[in-house]
Amino acid sequence: YLHGQERFFQMDLYRRIAAGEIAEIIPQGIETDRKNRVHQFRKRARSILESLKPEERDLLEKYTAGVNSGIQQLSSRPFEYHLLQVSPRLWRAEDSILCAISITMALQDTDVLTDRVRGQISAHFPPEIFDFIYQNGSRWEAPQDGSIREITPPPPAESWQAATSHWPESPESPDWMPKPSRFGESYPRESYRNGSNNWAARPSKDALNPAAWVANDMHLGLRIPNTWYRATVFEQSRSGEPLEAHGVSLPGLPGIIVGGNGKIAWGFTNPNADTEDAIILIADPEDPEAYLTSEGSEKIKKEIETLYIKGAPQETITVETTPFGPVIGKNESGQKIAFQWVAHQDWSFDLQLLNLAKSTSAQEALDIANTAESPALSMVVGDDQGNIGWSLFGSIPDRASSELQLTPIASNEPSALWKGRLAPGAYPRIYNPEQGFITTANARIVGGDALARFGDSGYLLGSRQWRIQQELAARDAEHSLESMLEIQMNIEGDALYPWQALIRWAYSPVRGSLTEEESELMEWVNAWSGRAEASSVGYRIIRSFRGKMLDRLYYRLFGPTLSKDASIYYNRGFARLGIPLEEPMLQILEQRPDALIDPYFKSWHAEMRHALAQIIEEAKPRGFAKYTWGAVNKLSIKHPMSAGIPVLGDWINMPEVELDGDQIVISANAPDHGPSQRFVVQVGDERNGRFSMPAGQSGHPLSPFYRAGHEAWLKGAESPLRPGDVLHTLTLVPEE
């Protein structure tokens, strides 16, 4: 009822984005519809609904009735519908499943680009280059099972001929290498698809309270209204014990998604598990409408989808389908690509996640995690007895091959088609580790057979995960609410120290003859505090240098090859292609092999000084004192309708604020992507737990709760997790 009253337009967008039905109310969304309708998610949602247990279907039907009562009992439809001049369409139970699918789309690779890029590199480069680029080892590795990988050094010069043979001998411009046409250079914006942190920690043995500590901040796109809706739900455990679950719900679904109930507390991050495969359809030479599988030839099926567009004629698109999934495009060789994705399976969704709020122990929560069907998540949990645990939560495919699958698979390979869902017993777990804490932050968590089972969809640099571990270990189990909040807002920029050293090296041959601007730049670089502070000039200089050099090396080494397949290369810059650049590129820049020198500059010194000269030019208009990190890392939380409201549009947005933090530090703040919620709690002490989320609870700009809590979120987790005194009461009375 409350979701329907306060967040219906948000829910409407969720279901329409997933179903490819945006243009019915917003004509400009037709491109999104054309792309997303290929997945036929509304049809899949209906199929999933039918496959649910009767009690789960019943719960969704009751939730649906509540949503529709809420929207119908408003005195006026939500303001967005007045602006669009349309009426809201009532909720259906299948729409809740579409909401869950929309979250899956936000967390996972909706174009299976990671596999396709890896396939392109594998096809055009020798194995040692592929292994070097995709080693996923780094100086910041922090897996939970101790499986530290040795860093793979750069291959010898002759191995790079596949990359350097495309280079011109004497380029006319320093920017001679191919670049993605849509986005250009990535700096300061990189891959903001991740950034979440969570951890659980046991207190010291002599602590008065033996309960575990749990902290979580889930990073998503920041918008108005916020992704989550705060709630307290009164539950009963399986033994009948009364519980109060405090945390956040997702408009579109019932129940608490993350939070605590006095017995356990739990949080999620994106594990970057491999839940999708690109399948190359091997054409049947005897039938142009068919492809080969391990069991023979199969025809591609075709279905017509109708797209409705407000104020314009309807369109139809032809969707080609296979048992693997829909056809989403072609590769460099013109072969069709089918997209095999967990989101397409009937075992991608159920309501077991809601049972976490009824759990009374970490072990019970882990059992739920391994049987639940949902977007793949990385869950940490702690309980009131001091037990802590980690496991994957949700749907993971059971592949026929036991090898780590990184590249596209031919349709006629026996291992191409998934066997189904991974068995619960095959999920990796960590329980009460010796070091007394568990952390995840979108980096690799386990290795060996466990890694092969749930895969690698492109892990992020381990610098956040590493720093959290350092902070927890330094406290030697002497944890407190204050220390947990400090860690959550930590902005130590460990990952930039190697780049600071590279800047110093770049000027080393000419240190006595630096220009005035170069000398000033070096003063700021040397004065850097080591933190990602909004006021920091040094951080921005080093961060900008890092971005420019990563771009240059990426475009130089891989641009000519990746640009052969425009569907992947010109779609996105390197940031979203799942290439773990940091460690490989740092090694190249630190070792500086002659074979990889840019042919325009003829030396590594010259190329690095060129990047620094660009920074000097960028800083000139206002001077270096104004060239701060906060000047480019400004909060930009906007309502999706604000651009269409003359004069008043900015009024419904959140104010711009210069932000501390960055994706490579624990407090991973970015302009429109960041912590969609934060909480810290010692299990059982929810009254003193802390919580915050951006924007406010209500989606209506005239509500007193439209911005309530936003200022507290800017400062960290500054408001209580558990509700305080009752100020307003709404009583729902059943109709007779």
Side-chain angles (χ1 to χ4, degrees):
Y1 185 91
L2 293 172
H3 285 173
Q5 290 238 314
E6 303 207 314
R7 297 291 191 89
F8 191 84
F9 183 69
Q10 174 188 14
M11 296 160 57
D12 197 2
L13 290 185
Y14 284 161
R15 66 177 173 179
R16 289 181 180 278
I17 288 171
E21 297 169 353
I22 286 285
E24 292 180 15
I25 61 172
I26 305 173
Q28 297 85 343
I30 186 60
E31 285 300 326
T32 299
D33 286 356
R34 290 173 184 144
K35 179 175 181 288
N36 291 349
R37 186 64 70 86
V38 169
H39 299 288
Q40 299 179 300
F41 278 136
R42 182 165 290 283
K43 182 171 76 172
R44 297 183 194 280
R46 290 170 181 157
S47 177
I48 291 170
L49 183 65
E50 289 302 312
S51 71
L52 293 179
K53 296 175 182 177
E55 59 269 25
E56 292 182 329
R57 287 200 304 273
D58 181 60
L59 179 57
L60 285 186
E61 292 291 350
K62 290 175 178 175
Y63 176 81
T64 297
V67 169
N68 289 332
S69 293
I71 188 69
Q72 289 174 316
Q73 292 181 31
L74 286 174
S75 59
S76 176
R77 59 189 170 177
F79 80 96
E80 295 94 342
Y81 294 100
H82 286 288
L83 294 173
L84 294 170
Q85 298 183 330
V86 296
S87 296
R89 187 179 71 195
L90 289 181
W91 200 252
R92 306 172 189 170
E94 69 199 48
D95 293 334
S96 290
I97 298 171
L98 287 170
C99 282
I101 290 172
S102 72
I103 294 297
T104 305
M105 296 173 75
L107 294 174
Q108 297 180 7
D109 182 357
T110 59
D111 300 296
V112 73
L113 282 173
T114 303
D115 279 10
R116 292 159 66 189
V117 170
R118 290 191 292 210
Q120 189 83 345
I121 291 177
S122 177
H124 291 278
F125 290 87
E128 60 267 26
I129 297 293
F130 184 90
D131 292 343
F132 171 64
I133 295 300
Y134 288 103
Q135 60 179 287
N136 261 325
S138 83
R139 62 200 74 187
W140 309 116
E141 272 217 297
Q144 294 300 295
D145 64 353
S147 58
I148 301 293
R149 296 178 175 179
E150 290 188 14
I151 296 175
T152 304
E158 56 269 21
S159 298
W160 291 99
Q161 290 178 359
T164 60
S165 62
H166 300 282
W167 295 358
E169 187 174 339
S170 298
E172 296 182 358
S173 163
D175 298 316
W176 57 269
M177 63 285 286
K179 294 182 179 180
S181 58
R182 286 181 59 195
F183 291 97
E185 292 192 0
S186 66
Y187 175 79
R189 186 176 184 81
E190 290 191 25
S191 171
Y192 290 148
R193 66 191 175 113
N194 298 116
S196 306
N197 309 292
N198 64 5
W199 62 88
R202 296 197 301 267
S204 61
K205 292 181 180 179
D206 57 354
L208 294 177
N209 186 346
W213 288 92
V214 176
N216 184 214
D217 51 272
M218 297 186 292
H219 284 56
L220 293 168
L222 300 179
R223 59 182 67 87
I224 299 173
N226 183 42
T227 300
W228 310 108
Y229 187 89
R230 294 191 67 171
T232 289
V233 176
F234 295 87
E235 295 279 10
Q236 276 192 336
S237 71
R238 293 178 181 177
S239 63
E241 185 177 0
L243 299 171
E244 291 183 17
H246 310 287
V248 295
S249 61
L250 177 69
L253 286 168
I256 298 296
I257 305 298
V258 300
N261 66 7
K263 294 294 184 180
I264 69 165
W266 70 97
F268 294 129
T269 60
N270 189 341
N272 290 325
D274 190 0
T275 57
E276 55 271 314
D277 283 337
I279 307 297
I280 307 301
L281 299 183
I282 305 302
D284 185 340
E286 298 180 1
D287 186 349
E289 295 295 316
Y291 59 95
L292 300 178
T293 73
S294 61
E295 298 181 355
S297 177
E298 286 208 32
K299 293 259 189 195
I300 293 177
K301 295 180 181 179
K302 297 183 180 182
E303 300 180 25
I304 302 299
E305 290 281 334
T306 302
L307 306 179
Y308 297 95
I309 310 165
K310 180 188 173 188
Q314 66 190 39
E315 290 185 10
T316 60
I317 61 172
T318 300
V319 178
E320 296 184 321
T321 67
T322 74
F324 304 107
V327 175
I328 59 166
K330 295 180 179 180
N331 65 9
E332 174 191 352
S333 302
Q335 296 170 300
K336 290 183 177 181
I337 302 167
F339 188 3
Q340 189 168 210
W341 190 13
V342 162
H344 297 145
Q345 315 301 319
D346 280 354
W347 40 268
S348 65
F349 175 83
D350 66 15
L351 293 176
Q352 287 194 69
L353 186 151
L354 305 186
N355 290 330
L356 289 174
K358 305 175 184 180
S359 300
T360 57
S361 72
Q363 283 282 27
E364 185 181 356
L366 293 171
D367 290 341
I368 292 169
N370 298 162
T371 57
E373 295 172 358
S374 79
L377 299 164
S378 189
M379 184 184 82
V380 299
V381 60
D383 65 27
D384 61 345
Q385 302 302 306
N387 300 302
I388 59 175
W390 165 86
S391 191
L392 287 178
F393 185 105
S395 305
I396 305 293
D398 185 4
R399 292 176 168 87
S401 172
S402 61
E403 300 295 320
L404 184 62
Q405 183 61 50
L406 296 176
T407 57
I409 311 168
S411 60
N412 57 356
E413 288 287 333
S415 62
L417 189 64
W418 294 339
K419 295 189 293 184
R421 185 191 187 279
L422 193 66
Y427 279 59
R429 280 193 190 187
I430 297 171
Y431 188 71
N432 286 340
E434 185 177 346
Q435 73 266 29
F437 55 80
I438 298 170
T439 71
T440 83
N442 312 126
R444 185 173 69 85
I445 302 166
V446 295
D449 292 341
L451 177 62
R453 284 196 297 275
F454 73 83
D456 175 356
S457 188
Y459 294 112
L460 291 198
L461 187 69
S463 55
R464 284 186 289 111
Q465 201 160 293
W466 180 87
R467 170 50 65 180
I468 295 169
Q469 291 183 11
Q470 298 301 304
E471 294 291 329
L472 290 171
R475 287 162 173 79
D476 194 26
E478 296 296 331
H479 306 302
S480 66
L481 180 65
E482 290 71 25
S483 71
M484 290 289 170
L485 294 172
E486 285 175 6
I487 295 173
Q488 209 164 49
M489 299 301 288
N490 186 285
I491 55 172
E492 296 296 324
D494 307 280
L496 284 196
Y497 284 121
W499 298 95
Q500 183 186 42
L502 285 171
I503 293 176
R504 290 169 175 156
W505 179 85
Y507 283 147
S508 60
V510 291
R511 187 155 294 157
S513 58
L514 294 180
T515 66
E516 184 177 340
E517 291 93 346
E518 289 171 334
S519 295
E520 185 179 3
L521 180 146
M522 280 306 303
E523 288 177 7
W524 288 109
V525 168
N526 288 328
W528 174 48
S529 67
R531 294 156 57 84
E533 296 167 308
S535 60
S536 176
V537 174
Y539 187 86
R540 182 176 175 185
I541 291 171
I542 300 167
R543 175 72 156 72
S544 181
F545 174 74
R546 168 183 174 269
K548 292 178 187 301
M549 291 307 299
L550 284 177
D551 280 345
R552 293 194 61 83
L553 276 175
Y554 165 71
Y555 297 137
R556 180 155 89 242
L557 295 174
F558 305 110
T561 297
L562 292 178
S563 61
K564 293 177 182 179
D565 186 347
S567 69
I568 57 174
Y569 185 67
Y570 290 102
N571 188 31
R572 309 254 172 84
F574 80 76
R576 290 301 299 267
L577 294 183
I579 300 178
L581 282 179
E582 189 94 6
E583 186 61 44
M585 298 300 101
L586 263 177
Q587 288 187 63
I588 289 173
L589 289 170
E590 289 170 340
Q591 297 184 28
R592 299 179 281 276
D594 290 344
L596 300 184
I597 291 174
D598 188 309
Y600 179 87
F601 293 102
K602 312 298 184 186
S603 83
W604 288 105
H605 278 113
E607 183 179 13
M608 292 188 199
R609 290 188 66 187
H610 168 75
L612 293 167
Q614 289 181 310
I615 294 171
I616 290 171
E617 287 302 310
E618 291 170 2
K620 271 186 179 179
R622 301 181 66 198
F624 266 119
K626 299 288 186 180
Y627 191 78
T628 62
W629 175 236
V632 290
N633 200 40
K634 284 185 179 179
L635 187 65
S636 180
I637 304 182
K638 296 182 178 181
H639 192 286
M641 300 298 296
S642 62
I645 307 177
V647 183
L648 294 178
D650 286 343
W651 172 69
I652 66 173
N653 297 329
M654 295 297 118
E656 280 194 352
V657 177
E658 294 189 357
L659 297 168
D660 290 339
D662 190 9
Q663 187 198 33
I664 57 177
V665 306
I666 298 174
S667 184
N669 292 321
D672 60 359
H673 193 288
S676 59
Q677 54 73 233
R678 297 187 187 98
F679 80 82
V680 172
V681 66
Q682 187 170 24
V683 182
D685 191 19
E686 284 72 24
R687 186 173 299 279
N688 290 313
R690 290 291 179 266
F691 172 92
S692 68
M693 70 181 196
Q697 182 82 327
S698 173
H700 198 292
L702 295 181
S703 167
F705 305 107
Y706 185 69
R707 292 179 172 83
H710 183 70
E711 287 296 320
W713 170 80
L714 286 171
K715 299 173 184 176
E718 289 286 326
S719 57
L721 171 62
R722 182 173 177 168
D725 295 335
V726 174
L727 299 180
H728 305 278
T729 300
L730 172 67
T731 302
L732 302 180
V733 180
E735 295 179 352
E736 295 183 0

